[in-house]
Amino acid sequence: MMAGLDPKELLELALLLIVVGALSGFLAGLFGIGGGAILVPVFYECFRLAGVPLEVRMPLCIGTSLAIIIPTSLSSFRAHYRRGAVDMEILKRWWLPIVIGVAAGSVTARLAPERLFKIVFVVVAWSAAARLLLARETWKFGDDVPKGILMRIYGFFVGLLSTLMGIGGGLFANLLMTFYGRPIHQAVATSSALAVLISIPGALGYVYAGWPAAARFPDVTALQLPFALGYVSLIGALLVMPTTLVTAPLGVKVAHALSKRALEVAFGAYLFIVGGRFVISLLGGASP
């Protein structure tokens, strides 16, 4: 027995994580989102079965997701960059405020209640889904992205909210860039680069935030070394990472083959579905 699971259950969880890794890598390339929006809900179920206490379950999901996004986002970014689709000017304006936002999100993760992570995830995911599914060409903030302090404020909140959701920032960057008239394909490509900026300091921040968790729950195997480091599940990351790297370039190819509207509808539908899992949890009460 390990973490209250027999060998058969452990094998089933391992196979599930491998399959999820393949899907998240594909979505990282397709939508520029790092794959976190699918990893977090799946990890939540896996860690529930593994007996991880409710109060630390969601941050463990998010920290592990951010760690996995590191190699996935690098692979996705390289593939988009080779196609010349990444807006490097936006990256120059955003990198510093995004890193500051990630640091703020990591501190918040150490103090915030578990319910906050779910609420942030649902509100942002469903807002983005509504924008994409109901989009009209007239729905925009301006004809081009701003160049002053507003752009830096956007960058800060991209880093902050991405760290609280365990995603690579693509959700917010896609939303902002399309609201300012940028093509969805360019938004997806640039978002893949932002995921690199967010995932590395974000994962390190969750290691720091979750450092006391192992001592608080000494009987929970999934939180102890060598299975976890702070709020990063090492065994979860090792099972998921390899397949994400294989499928991310495939997602990039599909993204560039789809029409603008097809890509928007696919991304919006996906966000609506994954947000629904946490709406059910919030309305029905906490899962044990």
Side-chain angles (χ1 to χ4, degrees), residues 12-24:
E12 289 174 352
L13 284 177
L15 291 174
L16 173 62
L17 289 174
I18 291 170
V19 172
V20 166
L23 181 57
S24 68

Side-chain angles (χ1 to χ4, degrees), residues 178-193:
T178 54
F179 263 127
Y180 280 103
R182 293 299 180 91
I184 183 68
H185 293 86
Q186 184 186 64
V188 165
T190 306
S191 297
S192 68

Side-chain angles (χ1 to χ4, degrees), residues 3-287:
L5 302 174
D6 62 32
K8 182 181 177 182
E9 290 174 317
L10 285 171
L11 179 60
E12 289 174 352
L13 284 177
L15 291 174
L16 173 62
L17 289 174
I18 291 170
V19 172
V20 166
L23 181 57
S24 68
F26 177 77
L27 292 173
L30 181 62
F31 297 135
I33 59 173
I38 186 170
L39 288 173
V40 171
V42 171
F43 276 138
Y44 190 85
E45 298 302 328
C46 291
F47 293 146
R48 180 181 64 82
L49 294 173
V52 175
L54 181 64
E55 54 263 47
V56 295
R57 192 182 305 157
M58 194 68 174
L60 182 64
C61 297
I62 292 171
T64 307
S65 171
L66 287 168
I68 291 166
I69 288 170
I70 295 171
T72 306
S73 59
L74 285 168
S75 175
S76 178
F77 167 64
R78 284 197 300 266
H80 281 293
Y81 184 77
R82 283 196 294 266
R83 292 173 176 265
V86 178
D87 188 325
M88 299 303 294
E89 185 60 34
I90 286 181
L91 292 184
K92 291 176 183 178
R93 296 182 209 167
W94 260 355
W95 77 267
L96 182 57
I98 280 179
V99 170
I100 295 172
V102 170
S106 299
V107 173
T108 303
R110 188 160 188 162
L111 305 173
E114 189 262 358
R115 189 174 179 86
L116 174 65
F117 296 95
K118 293 180 182 178
I119 292 172
V120 170
F121 195 104
V122 171
V123 169
V124 175
W126 276 15
S127 297
R131 161 67 179 88
L132 291 165
L133 292 173
L134 304 175
R136 299 291 185 273
E137 291 300 323
T138 55
W139 290 13
K140 57 183 181 179
F141 295 149
D143 294 327
D144 199 4
V145 293
K147 294 179 169 50
I149 187 66
L150 181 59
M151 192 64 169
R152 291 177 174 81
I153 293 173
Y154 283 153
F156 172 81
F157 280 103
V158 166
L160 173 68
L161 295 176
S162 297
T163 307
L164 291 178
M165 288 180 66
I167 63 175
L171 196 62
F172 308 104
N174 282 339
L175 201 59
L176 283 169
M177 290 180 69
T178 54
F179 263 127
Y180 280 103
R182 293 299 180 91
I184 183 68
H185 293 86
Q186 184 186 64
V188 165
T190 306
S191 297
S192 68
L194 296 176
V196 179
L197 291 175
I198 290 168
S199 59
I200 296 174
L204 292 174
Y206 272 81
V207 170
Y208 158 76
W211 200 259
R216 284 164 50 206
F217 301 99
D219 297 331
V220 180
T221 306
L223 291 172
Q224 309 300 319
L225 282 170
F227 299 103
L229 186 62
Y231 281 141
V232 174
S233 172
L234 299 179
I235 189 168
L238 288 173
L239 286 171
V240 170
M241 277 183 186
T243 49
T244 64
L245 295 176
V246 172
T247 55
L250 177 61
V252 172
K253 291 181 180 179
V254 174
H256 286 273
L258 290 175
S259 69
K260 172 181 179 290
R261 187 59 189 150
L263 191 57
E264 288 177 341
V265 170
F267 194 19
Y270 162 73
L271 291 172
F272 183 80
I273 292 168
V274 297
R277 165 63 183 89
F278 292 117
V279 170
I280 292 170
S281 175
L282 288 165
L283 294 179
S287 300

